[in-house]
Amino acid sequence: MMNTTMDTLIVTPTMDPHGTPPAVVVWCVLLVILAVISVIGNVLVLGTLWHAWTNVGTKPGNFLAFMLAVADLLNTLINLPLVIVGVINSQWALHDNTPLRMAHFFFLILLSGTSNMMLCVISINRYAVVAKPNTSEKVGRTRARNLTLYAWCHALGTAVVSIAIWGVMDSTGVGSLHHYVPPFPSQVLSYALAVGAPMAVMTVTYVRLFKRVKMRLRAVGAKKCNVACTESHMASQSVVQDAPSVFGAVKAHNMILARPNKHPTRHADLRTAVTLLILLGIFVLCWTPIVVLSLLVTFQDVADAQNYLTAAAVIVFVIPACNPLVYSMRNAQFRAAAMDFLVTARERLPSQCCRRAKQGTSDTAQGEANQEAVG
């Protein structure tokens, strides 16, 4: 009798997982808004860089920004709809279907982990630029490609191993206390490698970057020197020029983003470091709730766990929506480049429509002429 009662408690949680219709509507609206912002922002970043790929797209910082936007866009398009479906069905992460749960968890680790690792490798690249500002662009491109490959391999390995552990535990009958969260070992491994490791590396590199830039600014301010040939100015210029969120002057309507030929302001490199620290703060604030809550729910019942997990998921998807706004749109040169890209795309769209309309008219006229000739 006691064993039956314990099994019932384990299989059927005490809280009601079904959300009220108003709550479902609110969560769905918030998720759709985040999806729209993320898609528009990341598509704009990708379009702006792709349109000028031959000029600046291969530069290390811009290449990493491009790959970050790719990871964020895929994360939004694949994972966020699954969360919306789960909210509509009042089933967190489709917990009644184990294969779907495992597939959702796999893509969540893969794409979210890739996005996190891209932020991590961007921080490493920024620190490398500050530490060795005179490194050749060829070396920088190789470093950026290797870091990008490592980010994807790291996230893929984490996802595969986490799902393998989950499958072994599920086959042996050792599952989680609640069906709507993965087993504890899978959570620990995925959070440690896909969230904890990038967070630790970003914290160390961003803090060291901030200290280096601050010391450099003090040295430049003490010397009161703006000569472009000094080592401090060259290092500061390298931080600004090579940063993914900082682009050079924009030639109107041809999307050529060149390196700036004017002396950067004293606080330009400090602004870059502050931007990176803002990203780190967003990362920590958005991932902490779901990590703590999912681990807590693994061991004990939590009242209204469904709503809390949904809110935590909404917070996580704030990251891909904020990355384009903070990392690219915050820069005036990139905003100008994005506006130029939009103007160019707007000018091309009517011309293509006109060509298609003319082609359709000519095809119709040709068809009528052929019919008359046959008649």
Side-chain angles (χ1 to χ4, degrees):
M1 183 67 180
M2 183 179 297
N3 293 334
T4 304
T5 305
M6 291 299 297
D7 293 339
T8 304
L9 290 176
I10 292 176
V11 174
T12 306
T14 57
M15 80 285 290
D16 183 11
H18 299 280
T20 59
V24 172
V25 172
V26 170
W27 293 131
C28 289
V29 169
L30 290 176
L31 289 170
V32 169
I33 292 175
L34 288 176
V36 171
I37 295 175
S38 178
V39 169
I40 292 176
N42 287 291
V43 167
L44 186 59
V45 172
L46 294 175
T48 303
L49 290 175
W50 182 259
H51 202 62
W53 189 260
T54 56
N55 298 294
V56 298
T58 57
K59 298 187 183 302
N62 298 336
F63 176 78
L64 292 176
F66 185 88
M67 297 308 298
L68 174 64
V70 170
D72 286 338
L73 183 61
L74 291 176
N75 190 20
T76 301
L77 294 178
I78 295 177
N79 290 325
L80 200 144
L82 294 176
V83 176
I84 294 177
V85 171
V87 172
I88 293 175
N89 294 331
S90 297
Q91 298 173 355
W92 168 249
L94 305 173
H95 68 271
D96 286 340
N97 191 312
T98 301
L100 286 180
R101 279 189 298 137
M102 296 177 70
H104 183 192
F105 193 60
F106 175 83
F107 285 108
L108 184 63
I109 298 174
L110 175 61
L111 298 177
S112 297
T114 302
S115 177
N116 297 343
M117 289 303 301
M118 286 305 304
L119 291 174
C120 177
V121 300
I122 284 173
S123 70
I124 296 174
N125 186 69
R126 293 282 60 70
Y127 185 77
V129 170
V130 174
K132 297 180 180 180
N134 296 324
T135 304
S136 64
E137 187 172 313
K138 182 179 180 180
V139 174
R141 285 198 300 266
T142 303
R143 180 178 60 213
R145 290 167 184 163
N146 292 338
L147 288 174
T148 301
L149 180 62
Y150 170 76
W152 280 94
C153 292
H154 181 96
L156 179 61
T158 303
V160 171
V161 175
S162 299
I163 294 300
I165 294 175
W166 190 350
V168 170
M169 296 189 66
D170 188 68
S171 62
T172 56
V174 182
S176 178
L177 177 64
H178 299 296
H179 287 281
Y180 41 77
V181 293
F184 179 71
S186 295
Q187 292 188 62
V188 171
L189 178 65
S190 59
Y191 287 145
L193 296 180
V195 180
M199 186 183 300
V201 174
M202 282 190 290
T203 301
V204 174
T205 54
Y206 286 164
V207 169
R208 296 184 67 178
L209 173 65
F210 187 84
K211 290 182 177 179
R212 277 182 173 267
V213 172
K214 193 173 182 180
M215 292 173 60
R216 190 164 294 154
L217 287 174
R218 289 178 179 176
V220 173
K223 293 180 180 180
K224 296 181 179 180
C225 179
N226 290 324
V227 180
C229 295
T230 60
E231 181 180 357
S232 61
H233 182 83
M234 290 174 64
S236 176
Q237 189 180 30
S238 177
V239 174
V240 176
Q241 289 175 347
D242 195 36
S245 61
V246 179
F247 300 82
V250 181
K251 295 183 179 180
H253 304 291
N254 61 4
M255 292 305 302
I256 298 179
L257 308 179
R259 291 183 180 271
N261 53 11
K262 295 183 179 180
H263 302 319
T265 60
R266 180 178 298 179
H267 299 286
D269 48 0
L270 180 60
R271 179 181 175 86
T272 302
V274 170
T275 300
L276 300 180
L277 289 176
I278 291 175
L279 287 176
L280 175 61
I282 294 175
F283 181 88
V284 174
L285 292 176
C286 291
W287 272 106
T288 301
I290 193 169
V291 171
V292 174
L293 183 62
S294 59
L295 292 176
L296 180 63
V297 170
T298 303
F299 295 103
Q300 64 180 6
D301 291 340
V302 177
D304 296 330
Q306 163 70 21
N307 291 330
Y308 291 146
L309 287 171
T310 305
V314 172
I315 295 174
V316 167
F317 284 101
V318 170
I319 297 177
C322 287
N323 282 342
L325 298 176
V326 177
Y327 209 61
S328 298
M329 302 302 176
R330 219 172 150 258
N331 180 260
Q333 284 77 19
F334 183 84
R335 289 197 300 269
M339 290 300 297
D340 190 70
F341 165 70
L342 292 176
V343 170
T344 304
R346 184 178 179 182
E347 291 176 352
R348 289 183 178 180
L349 184 61
S351 61
Q352 292 178 357
C353 294
C354 291
R355 284 198 300 268
R356 292 177 181 177
K358 290 180 180 179
Q359 184 178 0
T361 304
S362 62
D363 292 341
T364 304
Q366 184 67 28
E368 293 177 353
N370 293 336
Q371 290 180 358
E372 291 179 357
V374 172

